[in-house]
Amino acid sequence: MRIYKQKNKLGVIEYQYVFDYTFDIAVLEFCRDLKQRFGWQGITFLEKKWCISTLFLVNKIVDKYRDIELTEEVLADIEEANKIPIIEVPGLKGKLYDYQKEAVGFLNACNGRGILSLDQGTGKTCISLAYSVYKKFKRILVVCPASVKYAWESEVCKWINLSSYVIDSMSKLDIETFNNHDIFIINYDILKKNMSFLQAVKFDLLIIDEVHYCKNVKSLRYKNVKKISNNIHHVIALSGTPILNQAWEFFGTLSIVHPKTWNNFWSYLKKYTNFRKEHWGYKYDGSKNSEELRRLIKPYFYRKTK
């Protein structure tokens, strides 16, 4: 199956793209359903081929058939349509660089569920805080390694006018504390102790720093973060190295940020790693279908290096 660019016309409607596939009744029914839902102006069967007028419907087909081939012209159109705007954020105490403003635009474009993969020192912290100011969020939870909790407190004071509260092993969270602060900073290792309270209150945004700490989906650390993320609409994952060594390590991050898309660990392993059964069990090292995976995560993955 592939989608290529070719102009076809029916009356005043110009169709830009063609969906080409070997006959399959399931694919045919899917195209008919698209036509019924979005109208013949969006997709129609013309001159023995399915013709598409908008990138919106191209993306619908790509979401359904992840291994579909897209020509360079179609990919170029998608890239042009997905260009990230640079967003100015009034109310910050400091000034952002252009790439940081672009990163805020990226987070806004993906509706606050995204992965920022920036090298150390490029401003992952200030970008996520700037986004919270841009969206006027009032209750934010930051989950991070213990070693950077107070660095986060310092960055909050440096960049924005919200009060922060660092949760440690001796903290006793209650409603009064929650009502008197805006940003709550907690390390991975004490999440379980505070889980009942953190799930009972409402946060606007969850920021997960060094999200590769959640690479092992069998770990308590991953399970706690996943449980909290299920109750928060906006989730930002930060890491300079989202994949440390193997492709399987990325699934934990993806399943936290986009759980509806990435909801089956074993399917992910079979499709994107060298999954096989050996004498002592299953092995899933290496990677495959990397280009497909890159294309699927592009709408919510922002990468910047020094």
Side-chain angles (χ1 to χ4, degrees), residues 89-96 133 154-162:
V89 185
L92 289 178
K93 294 181 180 179
K95 185 176 180 181
L96 299 177
V133 171
S154 176
E155 288 294 293
V156 170
C157 182
K158 174 183 175 181
W159 284 97
I160 63 178
N161 294 310
L162 295 178

Side-chain angles (χ1 to χ4, degrees), residues 84-85 103-116 131 135 233-236 257-258 297-302:
I84 302 168
V104 175
F106 156 80
L107 291 173
N108 189 55
C110 65
N111 198 28
R113 293 194 79 95
I115 303 164
L116 291 183
Y131 175 69
K135 298 296 289 186
H233 184 67
H234 302 282
V235 178
I236 301 174
V257 175
H258 269 265
I297 67 173
K298 186 176 180 179
Y300 44 88
F301 184 85
Y302 183 88

Side-chain angles (χ1 to χ4, degrees), residues 8 30 95 121 138 221 257 285 288:
N8 299 278
F30 176 70
K95 185 176 180 181
K138 296 299 183 184
R221 181 180 291 164
V257 175
D285 52 12
K288 63 183 181 183

Side-chain angles (χ1 to χ4, degrees), residues 6-70:
Q6 178 180 300
K7 291 185 178 180
N8 299 278
K9 201 164 186 179
L10 181 60
V12 296
I13 303 298
E14 190 174 75
Y15 299 90
Q16 301 282 333
Y17 310 98
V18 173
F19 179 29
D20 183 28
Y21 65 93
T22 304
F23 179 78
D24 182 286
I25 189 66
V27 180
L28 176 62
E29 290 301 322
F30 176 70
C31 291
R32 286 174 173 171
D33 179 62
L34 288 180
K35 183 178 179 181
Q36 183 177 7
R37 289 164 58 197
F38 300 102
W40 64 269
Q41 298 92 339
I43 179 171
T44 194
F45 195 70
L46 180 63
E47 297 177 356
K48 299 183 179 180
K49 54 195 174 188
W50 284 99
C51 300
I52 308 162
S53 65
T54 67
L55 280 174
F56 172 78
L57 289 175
V58 169
N59 288 328
K60 284 286 184 184
I61 295 171
V62 171
D63 288 343
K64 177 69 174 180
Y65 303 106
R66 296 183 177 182
D67 56 350
I68 195 169
E69 177 190 348
L70 302 177

